[in-house]
Amino acid sequence: MCSLDDEDTFKILIATDIHLGYLEKDPVRGNDTFVTFNEILDQAQKNEVDFILLGGDLFHDNKPSRKTVHSCLESLRKYCMGDRPVQFEILSDQAVNFNYSKFPWVNYQDENLNISIPVFSIHGNHDDPTGADALCALDILSCAGLLNHFGRSASVEKIDISPILLRKGRTKIALYGLGAIPDERLYRMFVNKQVTMLRPKEDEDSWFNLFVIHQNRSKHGATNYIPEQFLDDFINLVVWGHEHECKIAPFQNEQQRFYISQPGSSVVTSLSPGEAVKKHIGLLHVKGKKMKMEKIALETVRTFHIEDIVLADHPDLFNPDNPNVTQAIQAFCMEKVELMLDTAERERLGNPRQPEKPIIRLRVDYAGGFEPFSVHRFSQKYMHRVANPKDIIHFFRHREQKEKKDIDLNFGKLVSRPTEGTALRVEDLVKQYFQTAEKKVQLSLLTERGMGEAVQEFVDKEEKDAIEELVKFQLEKTQRFLKERHTDAEEGKIDEEVRKFRESRKKNTEEEDKEVREAMIRARAHRSEDEVLVSASSDEDSMDMESISPGDGLSSTLSRGRGRARGRARGARGQNSTARGSSRRGRGTTSQESASGSRSYKPVSMPSKNMSIVDGRPGKLLECLVTENMPIQFFFSLYVSRLPAVSSLSKRGSQSQASRGVDFESDEDDPFMSPATSRRTK
């Protein structure tokens, strides 16, 4: 048995998917994530853990607000700094473990800091590194010395996961981490044997191997998840982030023989059944090769109740031919909501730390000829009783699977709301659109994969130049290809060569990934240059405004500053019309008229639609890049208006507790196992 106060026992607090800043502007739920985060850190302090291990998505947004960052810094400083000594040591090369940091060592060993509880965290898909410098919010915390960010991988061709080697007394832990990577890419890398988990050279069987990962665990597509069988069998315990349903009690993978713990999220971010499961964090005890997971229920999480109604299952109550059936359905729904409110109130009375207003969700399947009632009018009755009055009722219609051949593209089918719990991905929407689109709308040069990733960057990471840079990059590469092939300037031959070139790129997925990455790097660098130009121009505006005397002419005053100068370029204040873009962006004023006292910058031009694809001469239209018939705004509006719901994990039937090197202790089982035989040398 693991002694709770043994000098050889690690005590680790485990949590994932805290999503700081989720709905921070909501007047009722805005502080939920911060309150629960404080509770998690308070539990770590009370239990005197050796360190905290986070499995990704500490922040909900890739670029968290100042309020969110400030609240996080405040909590970490309050609970994780102090005089209590850290009882374990690090044996591995920290310059390798934290090679992306300017301070490549663990924070508690920094002589300028006084850390009592170290925090180790990988990044998730919500707070992953972006931008020209590939930074994320966790890097801010790491630079401040409040958190140890590990598990980063810059290469998409080969990943070597080097563990952080920890020792406390006679117990040694090899801590592996892998931050969020697009699932399809990581899936392909596992298949191609491009992911390697390095092992200690000395006494590799004496280490407890702990792996933290943040990927899809439930299957969302052919390659849009990571099968558990991909992971190495020498691992003892996998802490799986990203999935929000709480399944924190470790259970065994029968094929690989390791245990998996899925802590789930600490806040309700999607109104799906998986989020209604009671939220927990884990207190992991490790001694030698034995482990014990102690579940700790979170008391400050807002109560969430969800229920489904199928109207067709109640023929005795509802008849679609009855003119008053809608009123009867509304009364029935009110009764159900009242029952859920009563249940939530009883639960809250036993826990005074829980927020007062619960989250209520009633999903109504109105298939069978029924009509939905007004959700807004229904919600008005519960404005002061629930935390989500606008989302109480969700009407959906169960559709029968009917496939029709040779049917035209139906935008209504694409826009139809997916079942809650399924993830909506913009790449899939782009691919689905072009698979069902007419021939005249198909892409001739760009690939669906590249366009999908560019749109994804535009929507999720606010890379406004992503699509433009991808188009320019692909155009340049195609031009080089055609020139190397010495293609004649005949439209038919050009089309044929472009088609062959596009098909070859689609088959070479690694090369295509490299192209998309290069285009995204150019877009980020472009954005950084724009920010510098805007900043420099703004500084010059301030100087120019200060230098203007009352006797200066009105025309010179209008050409810069905050006035609506007609010669001003978009994206900068006071610079002339030769700034980023084209001089034609100015309205009515030439660059010479507004050049006095202003800077002129080299314009970044976009290929004209009248440019030839071979040599830039007017000729063949560039309609093969992005056709005018492609409604790209459709993808933007669809994706932005409906953020992906986190899919809940399907239940696994078998949870065998037989192992191969780890003793797992729980309230029900305490099996003892034999050591592993798998090897891999670092």
Side-chain angles (χ1 to χ4, degrees):
M1 299 290 291
C2 293
S3 174
L4 300 182
D5 296 315
D6 196 323
E7 62 181 8
D8 296 330
T9 302
F10 273 96
K11 288 196 295 183
I12 309 168
L13 189 82
I14 294 178
T16 66
D17 297 273
I18 296 173
H19 286 273
L20 288 176
Y22 176 71
L23 291 182
E24 63 177 326
K25 296 183 180 180
D26 188 284
V28 178
R29 302 167 64 184
N31 288 323
D32 285 4
T33 58
F34 307 122
V35 172
T36 303
F37 185 50
N38 282 331
E39 181 188 0
I40 293 172
L41 297 180
D42 184 57
Q43 286 287 351
Q45 194 177 69
K46 289 179 178 178
N47 287 280
E48 297 184 346
V49 300
D50 291 299
F51 64 90
I52 299 172
L53 182 61
L54 303 180
D57 281 354
L58 174 60
F59 295 98
H60 182 71
D61 292 320
N62 184 266
K63 301 174 183 176
S65 67
R66 284 174 291 185
K67 173 187 175 182
T68 299
V69 175
H70 178 270
S71 298
C72 180
L73 293 170
E74 183 181 26
S75 299
L76 290 173
R77 179 170 178 174
K78 177 180 178 181
Y79 291 100
C80 297
M81 299 188 77
D83 296 328
R84 188 171 72 90
V86 176
Q87 301 293 335
F88 66 90
E89 58 181 331
I90 295 184
L91 306 179
S92 56
D93 185 356
Q94 299 184 45
V96 176
N97 301 139
F98 309 109
N99 60 332
Y100 291 96
S101 174
K102 297 293 184 181
F103 307 95
W105 53 81
V106 71
N107 62 347
Y108 75 85
Q109 291 182 353
D110 194 312
E111 59 183 10
N112 299 313
L113 301 173
N114 212 14
I115 303 296
S116 60
I117 305 178
V119 180
F120 293 87
S121 178
I122 63 172
H123 64 262
N125 60 306
H126 280 258
D127 51 12
D128 58 329
T130 57
D133 298 322
L135 295 175
C136 65
L138 294 185
D139 293 318
I140 298 176
L141 304 181
S142 177
C143 186
L146 297 175
L147 180 143
N148 302 291
H149 181 201
F150 74 109
R152 290 189 57 170
S153 176
S155 174
V156 294
E157 299 176 354
K158 182 174 176 57
I159 297 177
D160 292 327
I161 307 176
S162 182
I164 303 175
L165 303 180
L166 314 174
R167 182 174 65 187
K168 182 180 181 183
R170 291 174 293 178
T171 300
K172 298 184 291 185
I173 293 180
L175 177 59
Y176 297 85
L178 183 61
I181 296 175
D183 291 289
E184 294 91 342
R185 182 183 301 165
L186 186 58
Y187 185 101
R188 186 169 60 253
M189 295 181 73
F190 270 113
V191 171
N192 296 332
K193 308 297 183 183
Q194 295 172 327
V195 180
T196 304
M197 299 184 69
L198 306 177
R199 302 192 65 181
K201 292 182 179 180
E202 300 178 358
D203 301 326
E204 61 181 29
D205 289 331
S206 65
W207 295 84
F208 183 90
N209 300 295
L210 176 59
F211 182 38
V212 191
I213 187 173
H214 190 99
Q215 303 290 155
N216 277 334
R217 186 172 168 211
S218 55
K219 189 173 182 178
H220 295 273
T223 61
N224 192 21
Y225 77 113
I226 303 301
E228 298 171 6
Q229 288 73 19
F230 282 1
L231 307 183
D232 287 293
D233 58 0
F234 69 84
I235 299 172
N236 301 125
L237 175 65
V238 178
V239 177
W240 206 299
H242 185 62
E243 301 287 356
H244 280 210
E245 183 177 359
C246 182
K247 295 183 176 181
I248 199 168
F251 61 93
Q252 190 182 36
N253 179 283
E254 296 180 355
Q255 179 176 340
Q256 299 295 88
R257 315 305 292 173
F258 50 64
Y259 284 91
I260 300 175
S261 175
Q262 182 178 302
S265 67
S266 61
V267 63
V268 177
T269 60
S270 65
L271 304 182
S272 58
E275 295 274 19
V277 179
K278 180 69 176 177
K279 305 289 187 182
H280 292 83
I281 54 176
L283 184 59
L284 177 65
H285 304 267
V286 178
K287 181 178 181 180
K289 301 281 283 188
K290 299 179 180 179
M291 71 174 178
K292 177 180 179 180
M293 181 72 78
E294 178 183 345
K295 296 196 299 184
I296 301 177
L298 293 173
E299 299 179 351
T300 59
V301 177
R302 192 176 296 274
T303 307
F304 174 39
H305 292 274
I306 185 171
E307 191 170 337
D308 291 344
I309 298 176
V310 181
L311 299 180
D313 292 345
H314 301 277
D316 53 330
L317 298 178
F318 310 117
N319 181 3
D321 298 328
N322 186 343
N324 297 323
V325 65
T326 303
Q327 289 81 355
I329 295 173
Q330 184 171 349
F332 185 75
C333 291
M334 289 182 62
E335 182 180 349
K336 288 288 186 182
V337 171
E338 290 294 340
L339 289 175
M340 286 192 284
L341 285 172
D342 291 341
T343 303
E345 182 62 23
R346 286 195 298 270
E347 291 183 4
R348 195 183 70 83
L349 291 176
N351 180 14
R353 299 182 65 186
Q354 224 167 38
E356 181 178 355
K357 296 181 180 180
I359 302 173
I360 301 296
R361 183 69 152 181
L362 186 63
R363 304 191 299 184
V364 182
D365 183 353
Y366 68 102
F370 299 98
E371 293 294 331
F373 54 80
S374 174
V375 175
H376 298 289
R377 191 176 304 161
F378 184 90
S379 302
Q380 292 293 326
K381 303 173 183 178
Y382 300 96
M383 288 294 295
H384 302 291
R385 300 180 62 187
V386 300
N388 61 319
K390 297 180 181 179
D391 300 323
I392 297 178
I393 300 293
H394 170 60
F395 282 103
F396 70 99
R397 185 180 298 169
H398 179 73
R399 298 178 181 271
E400 297 181 359
Q401 298 295 330
K402 294 182 179 180
E403 295 294 335
K404 296 183 180 180
K405 297 182 179 179
D406 300 329
I407 190 170
D408 294 334
L409 180 64
N410 184 0
F411 283 101
K413 183 177 180 181
L414 293 179
V415 179
S416 60
R417 190 178 184 88
T419 304
E420 287 185 311
T422 59
L424 180 65
R425 302 176 63 254
V426 70
E427 299 100 319
D428 297 336
L429 290 175
V430 173
K431 184 176 180 181
Q432 183 181 6
Y433 171 80
F434 287 112
Q435 285 178 344
T436 56
E438 299 177 0
K439 185 177 181 180
K440 65 180 182 180
V441 192
Q442 295 287 350
L443 293 173
S444 301
L445 178 58
L446 298 182
T447 61
E448 294 85 355
R449 179 184 181 85
M451 176 60 73
E453 293 204 19
V455 176
Q456 178 84 43
E457 290 283 328
F458 180 92
V459 174
D460 281 351
K461 309 298 172 58
E462 299 179 8
E463 296 292 351
K464 58 184 177 62
D465 296 318
I467 300 175
E468 176 183 342
E469 289 296 334
L470 179 67
V471 171
K472 291 166 60 179
F473 184 83
Q474 294 285 15
L475 175 61
E476 294 169 2
K477 188 164 184 177
T478 306
Q479 288 175 336
R480 290 195 300 268
F481 171 79
L482 294 177
K483 289 179 180 179
E484 291 172 358
R485 302 272 294 186
H486 303 290
T487 305
D488 297 333
E490 296 180 12
E491 186 169 331
K493 293 184 178 180
I494 292 175
D495 289 341
E496 180 65 21
E497 292 294 338
V498 169
R499 186 187 63 79
K500 292 180 180 179
F501 182 54
R502 181 175 182 271
E503 291 301 323
S504 66
R505 293 203 332 272
K506 290 179 66 175
K507 293 178 181 178
N508 191 345
T509 55
E510 293 185 4
E511 182 67 22
E512 187 175 7
D513 282 344
K514 190 178 297 184
E515 292 178 5
V516 174
R517 289 196 309 275
E518 177 66 25
M520 295 307 104
I521 291 173
R522 286 169 51 164
R524 292 161 186 163
H526 195 173
R527 176 169 56 83
S528 300
E529 292 174 2
D530 289 349
E531 292 172 353
V532 172
L533 296 183
V534 171
S535 176
S537 179
S538 300
D539 294 341
E540 183 177 299
D541 289 344
S542 301
M543 296 174 62
D544 289 346
M545 292 299 291
E546 291 175 358
S547 64
I548 294 175
S549 63
D552 289 338
L554 180 61
S555 59
S556 62
T557 306
L558 290 176
S559 66
R560 53 184 177 268
R562 292 184 177 271
R564 297 183 59 186
R566 292 187 174 271
R568 187 180 62 187
R570 185 176 62 185
R573 295 178 297 180
Q575 71 186 43
N576 61 28
S577 59
T578 58
R580 179 183 175 270
S582 171
S583 62
R584 295 179 183 177
R585 290 187 180 180
R587 294 177 298 171
T589 306
T590 64
S591 59
Q592 287 81 5
E593 292 172 343
S594 59
S596 176
S598 301
R599 291 187 182 180
S600 106
Y601 302 103
K602 181 179 179 180
V604 179
S605 60
M606 178 67 186
S608 169
K609 286 203 67 166
N610 292 325
M611 183 187 297
S612 168
I613 195 171
V614 178
D615 55 8
R617 295 192 303 268
K620 178 175 171 56
L621 295 179
L622 205 58
E623 57 189 11
C624 56
L625 290 179
V626 182
T627 173
E628 294 178 353
N629 295 324
M630 185 186 72
I632 203 67
Q633 294 85 353
F634 160 72
F635 298 115
F636 295 162
S637 60
L638 176 63
Y639 193 70
V640 173
S641 61
R642 291 155 52 207
L643 293 177
V646 180
S647 60
S648 56
L649 182 64
S650 59
K651 297 183 178 179
R652 295 177 60 88
S654 174
Q655 295 185 8
S656 170
Q657 297 296 329
S659 179
R660 145 242 44 76
V662 183
D663 287 337
F664 166 61
E665 302 172 9
S666 67
D667 297 336
E668 297 85 7
D669 303 288
D670 184 19
F672 293 88
M673 288 67 83
S674 60
T677 58
S678 174
R679 301 286 190 275
R680 184 166 295 175
T681 304
K682 182 174 179 180

